[in-house]
Structure formats: structure tokens, C-alpha cells
């Protein structure tokens, strides 16, 4: 954002934040609380991608790969992404 006044500690002024939020549309609540609150959708969306969270090899595998798959659900046009939108 060039030409936008910035406070000395680099915070964007509230009036600029409000304009930016309106222009960008709804934001996503990507907190783990929001994700776990919609766990049914997480499991369903991962199943459509071939990841069954109840399979032994998935359970025994590293959590980071499951975490990456969940974040990919948020970054893609999925039902999970739709319910995480803050209006």
C-alpha cells in the first residue's frame, strides 16, 4: 500500500483497514477452533481427496502432512472455506 499513511510503529490506520476489508470481501477464520468446529466437513473434504483420517497408515504417519492437507482445503474452493468466511 503505497501512499497510505502509516503510524510510527507500522500499524495501518483503522480507517484504511476498514476500507481494505470491505474491498477484499469476507475474511477467513482460520483458527484451529473454527476448523475443529467444522470437523465433519474437514473429514468429508479430505475423504474426497483420498485421505481417510481413520486409516492406520494415515494415523501412523506424520501429522504435518495432514495439517498441510487441511490448510490446502482452506486455500481451495471447498465447503470448509465457505463456512470459515467471516461476513
Amino acid at each position: 500500500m503505497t501512499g497510505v499513511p502509516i503510524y510510527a510503529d507500522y500499524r495501518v490506520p483503522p480507517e484504511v483497514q476498514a476500507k481494505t476489508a470491505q474491498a477484499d470481501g469476507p475474511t477467513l477464520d482460520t483458527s484451529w477452533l473454527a476448523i475443529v468446529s467444522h470437523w465433519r466437513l474437514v473429514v468429508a473434504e479430505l475423504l474426497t481427496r483420498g485421505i481417510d483420517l481413520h486409516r492406520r497408515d494415515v494415523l501412523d504417519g506424520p501429522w504435518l502432512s495432514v495439517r498441510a492437507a487441511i490448510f490446502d482445503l482452506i486455500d481451495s474452493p471447498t465447503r470448509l472455506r465457505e463456512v470459515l468466511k467471516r461476513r
Side-chain angles (χ1 to χ4, degrees):
M1 282 193 256
T2 58
V4 176
I6 303 291
Y7 292 126
D9 60 354
Y10 301 102
R11 288 182 294 137
V12 177
E15 63 274 5
V16 175
Q17 285 179 345
K19 289 178 186 175
T20 304
Q22 291 171 354
D24 292 343
T27 58
L28 295 175
D29 182 359
T30 57
S31 67
W32 279 109
L33 177 62
I35 293 168
V36 171
S37 296
H38 300 287
W39 193 249
R40 176 183 57 85
L41 281 177
V42 171
V43 172
E45 294 283 354
L46 289 176
L47 274 173
T48 63
R49 294 173 178 226
I51 302 171
D52 182 358
L53 293 178
H54 301 288
R55 274 193 0 231
R56 185 86 253 158
D57 61 328
V58 175
L59 290 172
D60 290 342
W63 165 246
L64 290 178
S65 58
V66 173
R67 179 178 170 266
I70 291 171
F71 286 139
D72 188 51
L73 293 176
I74 296 169
D75 294 336
S76 305
T78 60
R79 295 174 289 175
L80 179 63
R81 182 182 175 87
E82 285 302 311
V83 299
L84 294 178
K85 285 184 181 177
R86 292 180 185 160
R87 308 228 183 254

